[in-house]
Amino acid sequence: MSARSKRESRGSTRGKRESESRSSSGRVKRERDREREPEAASSRGSPVRVKREVEPASAREASAAAVPVVRIKRERDADEDSEPEREVRAKNGRVDSEDRRSRHCPYLDTINRSVLDFDFEKLCSISLSHINAYACLVCGKYFQGRGLKSHAYIHSVQFSHHVFLNLHTLKFYCLPDNYEIIDSSLEDITYVLKPTFTKQQIANLDKQAKLSRAYDGTTYLPGIVGLNNIKANDYANAVLQALSNVPPLRNYFLEEDNYKNIKRPPGDIMFLLVQRFGELMRKLWNPRNFKAHVSPHEMLQAVVLCSKKTFQITKQGDGVDFLSWFLNALHSALGGTKKKKKTIVTDVFQGSMRIFTKKLPHPDLPAEEKEQLLHNDEYQETMVESTFMYLTLDLPTAPLYKDEKEQLIIPQVPLFNILAKFNGITEKEYKTYKENFLKRFQLTKLPPYLIFCIKRFTKNNFFVEKNPTIVNFPITGLGSGMNYRTSR
């Protein structure tokens, strides 16, 4: 056989073997497909079983993926002023070392109580914002926020001051670690920031008067505390100190529940006067103060705002004008009205009187014409009922000449002599630009506490003159219901 025929025979046998192998592999493949069809059909026929097997794994993966997302979101919220981080971790089942740190903060010994002063307005010393204000308990300054970019956070990192107090929630925090501090030794700081009084403590204020010791070692009597003169507010300080020692008024404002639920119209700023006066009253009577004096800064800012700058800190004012405005503004802010609705202010200070007024003819008219005018209805005496918050007393004219020793004589007058103005008999002439009137006053109802305003200053075209007359009044043998307090 030739070589060519041998190659052709070998090629034909190889082709037969490849075709057989392909046919056999195709047959095996078809048989395997037929075997798999029942399994696929059975799997398609039971979708519930497959779903139950797959769902727990996916649910576990979804819950595992949701946990860190929720935790991160809550921690971001806690970075501002929401719930403390330890509560967030407790909700997620994690209470670790940071909870122990909140009870064992290593920076409590850096607190400097001698520099803490909560009498000033609660605003950030950098941004001047009232929102989310914190006090640094190391240097006493106020800062805003405690987030990563907040002024309090930057201050804590820059100066290594770590203990801060939220001035609104009264919670303590450690920065920059940002965890809440829980320690009973800090309770004295929160009490200075916001003093509170129970009904029993208020009832015993006048029974158990005793000296208290401030943090700097000085002793003081609660209620008899000095008010700082910021610039020219001494006229207001005298009025505020006098009012703080009127027991019914004091007791009312020492307990915040008495007035905190009073409803005011939207946008009304006058209620700020009530809140600030209550805060000042509680600070004046605080037996656990850090210092023996109080700054009426927030109170006076409310006065400037509510009086529309009529009374200011930087400018001297008249104490009587301030007293009159303050009592009426306080009465109005508490929901009182002129006639019907009463408040603690009117219950304590408001009395009533009758005012008799008679018009006088012009002094330059002839006597006969004066006699004729006096018979007219216009010149007959009229009477009106009026209320009052205080009584104005007039002093006798001071002497013009010196005595034999070349010294000015300082006269003295009893209080009851100048009170004769209100006996219903004594008449006094009052002059206006056009007309003259003769008036007399008769008291019909006395309030529990009388305020006397003694007019010492007279103004003429050249200068203001002070009357030095000394007013003597009894301090012994008085009835139990009478109280006297003087302010010069």
Side-chain angles (χ1 to χ4, degrees):
M1 182 179 276
S2 63
R4 183 177 179 182
S5 61
K6 289 181 181 178
R7 283 195 298 271
E8 289 177 355
S9 63
R10 280 198 295 268
S12 62
T13 55
R14 191 182 301 115
K16 289 179 181 179
R17 289 175 184 170
E18 289 176 358
S19 62
E20 288 175 0
S21 64
R22 282 196 300 269
S23 63
S24 63
S25 62
R27 187 169 56 253
V28 172
K29 186 177 180 181
R30 285 193 298 272
E31 290 175 357
R32 288 178 179 174
D33 292 338
R34 283 195 299 270
E35 290 174 359
R36 288 175 181 172
E37 284 179 0
E39 295 179 1
S42 63
S43 63
R44 286 193 300 268
S46 58
V48 177
R49 180 171 54 82
V50 175
K51 187 176 181 182
R52 287 177 180 172
E53 292 175 357
V54 174
E55 187 177 88
S58 62
R60 284 194 299 272
E61 292 174 0
S63 62
V67 169
V69 174
V70 174
R71 187 170 64 251
I72 289 170
K73 183 178 179 182
R74 290 183 180 177
E75 288 178 356
R76 283 178 181 171
D77 293 340
D79 190 41
E80 298 303 327
D81 266 348
S82 61
E83 294 294 323
E85 290 184 2
R86 60 185 185 85
E87 295 182 7
V88 175
R89 286 192 303 277
K91 290 178 182 178
N92 293 326
R94 293 176 53 208
V95 181
D96 350 301
S97 59
E98 289 206 15
D99 187 53
R100 291 194 296 272
R101 277 195 301 174
S102 66
R103 301 230 176 230
H104 302 87
C105 181
Y107 301 111
L108 294 184
D109 58 344
T110 62
I111 296 176
N112 188 1
R113 286 173 170 81
S114 61
V115 300
L116 299 183
D117 190 353
F118 300 121
D119 294 341
F120 294 97
E121 193 175 4
K122 311 299 187 294
L123 52 81
C124 176
S125 58
I126 298 176
S127 64
L128 303 181
S129 173
H130 296 81
I131 302 172
N132 198 12
Y134 287 80
C136 175
L137 301 186
V138 181
C139 64
K141 295 180 181 179
Y142 296 166
F143 299 97
Q144 185 182 20
R146 72 172 197 273
L148 292 177
K149 296 182 181 179
S150 64
H151 298 296
Y153 186 93
I154 295 171
H155 176 78
S156 68
V157 174
Q158 187 175 2
F159 295 96
S160 296
H161 295 175
H162 300 291
V163 188
F164 290 79
L165 168 63
N166 189 306
L167 296 173
H168 302 288
T169 63
L170 306 184
K171 293 183 179 180
F172 297 88
Y173 294 93
C174 180
L175 297 181
D177 295 340
N178 200 12
Y179 60 85
E180 184 183 355
I181 301 172
I182 302 173
D183 198 294
S184 59
S185 64
L186 302 175
E187 190 268 339
D188 62 329
I189 298 177
T190 57
Y191 192 84
V192 170
L193 174 59
K194 191 174 182 180
T196 54
F197 292 83
T198 63
K199 292 184 182 294
Q200 187 64 32
Q201 289 173 332
I202 295 173
N204 294 331
L205 282 178
D206 297 325
K207 300 176 184 177
Q208 301 175 355
K210 60 180 181 179
L211 291 173
S212 298
R213 187 175 295 276
Y215 184 77
D216 57 1
T218 58
T219 57
Y220 68 95
L221 188 64
I224 314 298
V225 178
L227 288 175
N228 291 347
N229 189 11
I230 299 172
K231 191 168 184 182
N233 57 286
D234 48 347
Y235 71 97
N237 288 357
V239 172
L240 295 173
Q241 280 185 316
L243 294 178
S244 68
N245 283 275
V246 178
L249 191 72
R250 173 202 67 193
N251 297 348
Y252 180 85
F253 281 96
L254 285 181
E255 193 172 356
E256 192 176 4
D257 292 339
N258 291 330
Y259 57 85
K260 70 177 182 180
N261 294 324
I262 294 177
K263 294 182 180 179
R264 299 296 300 166
D268 181 34
I269 61 172
M270 296 303 292
F271 193 70
L272 184 65
L273 206 65
V274 176
Q275 293 175 323
R276 294 290 181 259
F277 186 62
E279 291 172 3
L280 178 65
M281 198 76 75
R282 289 188 288 275
K283 289 178 180 178
L284 287 172
W285 286 91
N286 183 7
R288 298 159 57 185
N289 222 331
F290 285 168
K291 54 188 185 303
H293 56 88
V294 174
S295 177
H297 194 271
E298 288 186 293
M299 176 74 242
L300 294 176
Q301 280 189 323
V303 168
V304 173
L305 181 65
C306 296
S307 68
K308 298 180 181 178
K309 298 185 179 180
T310 303
F311 303 100
Q312 299 187 25
I313 302 174
T314 57
K315 185 176 164 186
Q316 279 290 347
D318 186 86
V320 178
D321 293 342
F322 173 72
L323 173 68
S324 176
W325 172 84
F326 185 73
L327 290 180
N328 285 284
L330 210 60
H331 169 67
S332 176
L334 288 170
T337 57
K338 287 186 177 180
K339 293 183 178 180
K340 294 183 179 180
K341 196 168 182 181
K342 294 186 177 182
T343 62
I344 184 65
V345 178
T346 54
D347 290 342
V348 174
F349 295 118
Q350 191 178 73
S352 61
M353 67 170 72
R354 291 176 183 154
I355 304 176
F356 299 89
T357 306
K358 184 192 297 184
K359 186 178 179 180
L360 297 177
H362 197 278
D364 296 337
L365 294 175
E368 295 179 358
E369 191 172 347
K370 287 182 182 180
E371 286 290 335
Q372 292 178 356
L373 290 175
L374 289 176
H375 293 288
N376 296 342
D377 293 339
E378 184 183 357
Y379 291 87
Q380 299 304 311
E381 188 177 62
T382 59
M383 186 271 292
V384 293
E385 293 277 352
S386 178
T387 58
F388 64 90
M389 291 284 192
Y390 60 90
L391 298 176
T392 303
L393 304 179
D394 302 316
L395 292 175
T397 306
L400 299 176
Y401 304 103
K402 296 182 180 181
D403 60 3
E404 63 274 7
K405 296 182 181 180
E406 295 297 323
Q407 294 179 350
L408 288 175
I409 301 172
I410 301 179
Q412 299 186 26
V413 59
L415 176 66
F416 299 108
N417 286 10
I418 57 178
L419 276 175
K421 173 183 177 181
F422 299 99
N423 60 8
I425 302 172
T426 305
E427 294 181 329
K428 185 178 179 181
E429 186 175 351
Y430 291 85
K431 296 180 180 180
T432 62
Y433 180 70
K434 293 182 179 179
E435 301 170 330
N436 296 342
F437 294 92
L438 204 62
K439 291 187 177 183
R440 58 189 177 95
F441 306 92
Q442 182 182 11
L443 298 178
T444 56
K445 179 186 175 184
L446 288 176
Y449 289 82
L450 265 174
I451 301 176
F452 294 143
C453 169
I454 301 174
K455 294 181 66 175
R456 291 189 177 275
F457 296 93
T458 54
K459 198 178 203 179
N460 53 33
N461 295 331
F462 303 101
F463 57 90
V464 177
E465 184 180 6
K466 181 179 179 181
N467 191 328
T469 303
I470 298 174
V471 178
N472 296 321
F473 55 88
I475 57 175
T476 58
L478 299 174
S480 59
M482 297 186 68
N483 288 271
Y484 288 90
R485 179 163 294 277
T486 60
S487 176
R488 296 186 181 275

